[in-house]
Amino acid sequence: MGNPIENKEINPEIVEYMQESYKELISLIGDTSDKQFLASFFECLFTPSERKAMVERWILVKELKKGVTQREIARKFNMSLCKITRGSRELQKKDSAFLKALSMVSQD
C-alpha cells in the first residue's frame, strides 16, 4: 500500500497516524458494497472540486485506454496535458492498478 505522506518534515508520529488512517479508508471503501453509502461518504469526505478531480482522472484513463489521443482528451474535457501524461504513464506500468480497475468495470 502506498505512502499517503511524502513530506519528510512532518513529525514521524503524525506520519504513522496518517498511514494508519489511510489504511482504514482503503479497508472501509474496499469492504463496503453499499454504493449509496459510498456516494454519501464521498460527498462528506471530498469537496465538490476534489470529487470533480477524481472523476476527471478516471475519465482520462478510460479515454486513453480507448485509444483517444492526449491532445483530444485535453481539448474535449478541458484538461492539462500534464495531468493526462501522468495517467498515460500509470497505464504503461507493468502492474498498473488503472488497468486492473478498468478490467473490473464494464467499458463502452
Side-chain angles (χ1 to χ4, degrees):
M1 213 176 290
N3 180 0
I5 304 302
E6 298 296 332
N7 188 336
K8 295 176 181 167
E9 296 174 10
I10 297 176
N11 178 322
E13 291 175 2
I14 299 298
V15 170
E16 183 178 343
Y17 185 56
M18 293 181 86
Q19 290 171 336
E20 289 170 12
S21 297
Y22 182 70
K23 289 176 185 177
E24 284 175 352
L25 284 169
I26 300 238
S27 292
L28 172 68
I29 292 167
D31 293 343
T32 302
S33 61
D34 183 341
K35 291 179 175 121
Q36 188 172 355
F37 163 74
L38 281 176
S40 295
F41 182 66
F42 277 27
E43 286 180 21
C44 293
L45 187 62
F46 302 109
T47 66
S49 63
E50 289 168 334
R51 291 192 305 270
K52 179 179 180 271
M54 284 193 304
V55 171
E56 286 175 342
R57 285 189 175 94
W58 185 239
I59 285 171
L60 76 86
V61 169
K62 292 191 311 181
E63 294 294 301
L64 287 167
K65 182 67 175 150
K66 289 180 192 175
V68 179
T69 68
Q70 291 186 27
R71 290 196 183 281
E72 181 63 18
I73 295 167
R75 186 195 60 74
K76 185 175 180 181
F77 298 102
N78 195 30
M79 293 182 194
S80 74
L81 284 171
C82 181
K83 183 186 289 187
I84 298 165
T85 298
R86 181 177 180 275
S88 178
R89 284 190 190 126
E90 290 297 322
L91 277 173
Q92 293 171 15
K93 290 182 178 177
K94 180 182 174 191
D95 296 323
S96 171
F98 278 153
L99 286 175
K100 185 172 182 177
L102 286 166
S103 74
M104 297 167 74
V105 297
S106 62
Q107 295 294 301
D108 297 328

